[in-house]
């Protein structure tokens, strides 16, 4: 089996079988990162461009490490150092990159749909590294990989996603991916941070954090996306933390063996207390490790795997 499309733009376009293939491949890639020599020659001679129009630390670094561990040539390109600051359109930038004949372009952009536009204009595979408030498919994939690693499966699990749902591309991608893989998802947050019609995505909407956490196998906390809000949609950070932050007392409502996740960056004392972030429930650092494996898997399936199929 191989991926049907040349691009990874969102979770909606992936079938449950394709998600399973990516997660299975990522499990094998995870073993590479545990070796003394963390490198395989699979993508030697391939060129991967990391085009990040938005600031990023963990996602960009994760993609870069993933490329290097596959022996690909990784080239970083920021909007501030590109011709976009000189007035070049994104469409012309796409044509310029295509002329350099890269194999994969990883793109993060503040505008929803920008990676889709890029994918229409280049022959290279395009991976969406996050576009506006729309989608973050690789974050959802690494989250699903972590859930499967820690709990054994995704199907049948109850996942509570709590926080700024309205402005979170991570929430949208996870709701789509988790429900597609058989999990039930419940969301909770301030009314001003819940998008209209969110239940139509296939999730349950809880009226409180306590209700959302009750019986959950996974509790995923999201940060307040202040950079995407025109106005702060809650009276104060302190009140937000009191009403929507995860504490040990609230976590006790979850199922025994429940895990706590956070896509980062994490604000201690706001979304969750330090004893939760550093406690035995937390798999936040496992998410970071699995991010490299998930992205290695995508590079392999889009470049190395396709080449192997065509031989």
């Amino acid at each position: 089996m191989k991926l049907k499309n040349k691009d990874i733009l969102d979770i909606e376009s992936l079938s449950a079988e394709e998600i399973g293939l990516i997660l299975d491949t990522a499990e094998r890639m995870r073993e590479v990162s545990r070796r003394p020599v963390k490198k395989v020659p699979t993508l030697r001679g391939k060129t991967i461009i990391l085009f990040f129009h938005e600031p990023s630390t963990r996602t960009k670094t994760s993609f870069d490490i993933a490329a290097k561990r596959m022996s690909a040539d990784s080239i970083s390109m920021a909007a501030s150092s590109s011709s976009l600051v000189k007035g070049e359109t994104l469409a012309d930038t796409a044509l310029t990159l295509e002329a350099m004949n890269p194999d994969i372009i990883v793109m993060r952009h503040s505008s929803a749909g920008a990676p889709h536009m890029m994918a229409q204009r280049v022959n290279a595979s395009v991976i969406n590294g996050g576009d506006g408030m729309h989608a973050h498919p690789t974050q959802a994939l690494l989250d699903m990989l972590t859930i499967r690693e820690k709990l054994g499966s995704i199907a049948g699990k109850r996942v509570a996603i709590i926080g700024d749902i309205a402005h979170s591309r991570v929430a949208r991608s996870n709701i789509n991916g988790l429900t597609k893989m058989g999990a039930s998802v419940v969301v909770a947050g301030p009314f001003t941070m819940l998008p209209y019609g969110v239940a139509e995505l296939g999730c349950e909407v809880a009226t409180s954090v306590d209700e959302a956490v009750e019986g959950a196998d996974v509790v995923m906390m999201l940060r307040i996306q202040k950079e995407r809000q025109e106005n702060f949609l809650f009276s104060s950070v302190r009140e937000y933390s009191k009403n929507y932050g995860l504490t040990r007392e609230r976590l006790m409502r979850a199922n025994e063996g429940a895990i706590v996740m956070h896509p980062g960056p994490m604000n201690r004392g706001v979304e969750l207390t330090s004893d939760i972030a550093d406690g035995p429930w937390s798999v936040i650092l496992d998410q970071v490790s699995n991010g490299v494996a998930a992205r290695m898997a995508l590079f392999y399936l889009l470049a190395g795997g396709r080449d192997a199929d065509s031989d």
Side-chain angles (χ1 to χ4, degrees):
M1 181 182 175
K2 61 182 181 179
L3 300 178
K4 294 193 293 285
N5 300 319
K6 76 175 182 69
D7 309 300
I8 302 293
L9 301 176
D10 48 45
I11 293 295
E12 295 95 316
S13 60
L14 294 173
S15 66
E17 292 74 22
E18 288 177 303
I19 293 173
L21 172 64
I22 294 168
L23 299 185
D24 290 342
T25 306
E27 286 186 351
R28 297 196 298 271
M29 296 301 171
R30 191 163 52 205
E31 186 271 331
V32 174
S33 295
R34 294 170 178 166
R35 298 177 184 175
V37 179
K38 303 173 182 64
K39 206 175 189 74
V40 291
T42 311
L43 297 186
R44 183 179 295 151
K46 301 292 185 181
T47 301
I48 297 174
I49 295 177
L50 308 180
F51 180 28
F52 277 61
H53 191 270
E54 276 188 329
S56 172
T57 300
R58 53 185 50 73
T59 301
K60 186 175 182 180
T61 302
S62 181
F63 272 115
D64 196 20
I65 291 174
K68 287 179 168 58
R69 287 188 180 167
M70 302 290 283
S71 297
D73 296 316
S74 173
I75 301 163
S76 294
M77 177 181 168
S80 59
S81 60
S82 74
S83 293
L84 290 173
V85 298
K86 302 176 182 178
E88 184 176 69
T89 66
L90 185 59
D92 284 330
T93 298
L95 295 175
T96 299
L97 295 178
E98 172 66 13
M100 298 177 189
N101 199 29
D103 297 285
I104 297 175
I105 299 172
V106 180
M107 184 178 185
R108 168 171 284 192
H109 202 280
S110 57
S111 297
H116 298 68
M117 187 277 288
M118 176 74 72
Q120 293 170 358
R121 287 166 168 77
V122 300
N123 291 319
S125 293
V126 175
I127 299 176
N128 182 0
D131 61 328
M133 295 185 291
H134 172 237
H136 197 345
T138 62
Q139 180 68 46
L141 289 167
L142 73 89
D143 288 341
M144 288 187 280
L145 179 63
T146 304
I147 292 171
R148 198 167 79 163
E149 176 192 12
K150 297 300 179 181
L151 302 182
S153 65
I154 299 171
K157 299 298 184 289
R158 179 176 171 86
V159 182
I161 303 178
I162 299 166
D164 186 0
I165 308 297
H167 301 90
S168 176
R169 55 195 175 203
V170 173
R172 284 172 173 77
S173 293
N174 265 304
I175 292 169
N176 282 308
L178 289 166
T179 54
K180 192 171 288 189
M181 298 303 287
S184 62
V185 179
V186 55
V187 300
F191 180 74
T192 52
M193 297 183 190
L194 291 175
Y196 178 77
V198 63
E200 295 176 7
L201 294 176
C203 63
E204 175 189 344
V205 181
T207 57
S208 68
V209 172
D210 290 347
E211 180 187 337
V213 173
E214 190 74 43
D217 300 291
V218 179
V219 181
M220 183 181 298
M221 304 304 295
L222 303 175
R223 71 181 178 88
I224 302 171
Q225 306 272 330
K226 291 182 179 179
E227 71 277 11
R228 296 194 177 96
Q229 298 179 9
E230 293 183 6
N231 298 296
F232 186 51
L233 300 176
F234 208 76
S235 56
S236 70
V237 171
R238 182 175 180 178
E239 188 174 351
Y240 179 91
S241 176
K242 178 182 177 181
N243 289 291
Y244 296 97
L246 184 64
T247 62
R248 184 187 294 257
E249 181 182 2
R250 282 194 169 121
L251 185 59
M252 291 303 102
R253 294 175 175 270
N255 284 341
E256 184 177 355
I259 58 175
V260 175
M261 308 180 75
H262 195 301
M266 174 176 57
N267 296 297
R268 291 173 182 265
V270 181
E271 299 102 43
L272 68 175
T273 56
S274 287
D275 62 329
I276 296 296
D278 301 325
W281 316 273
S282 174
V283 296
I284 296 170
L285 294 181
D286 297 280
Q287 290 174 263
V288 177
S289 299
N290 283 330
V292 176
R295 287 155 182 143
M296 288 173 68
L298 290 180
F299 287 157
Y300 171 76
L301 292 169
L302 292 175
R306 285 182 179 274
D307 287 352
D309 289 333
S310 62
D311 287 344

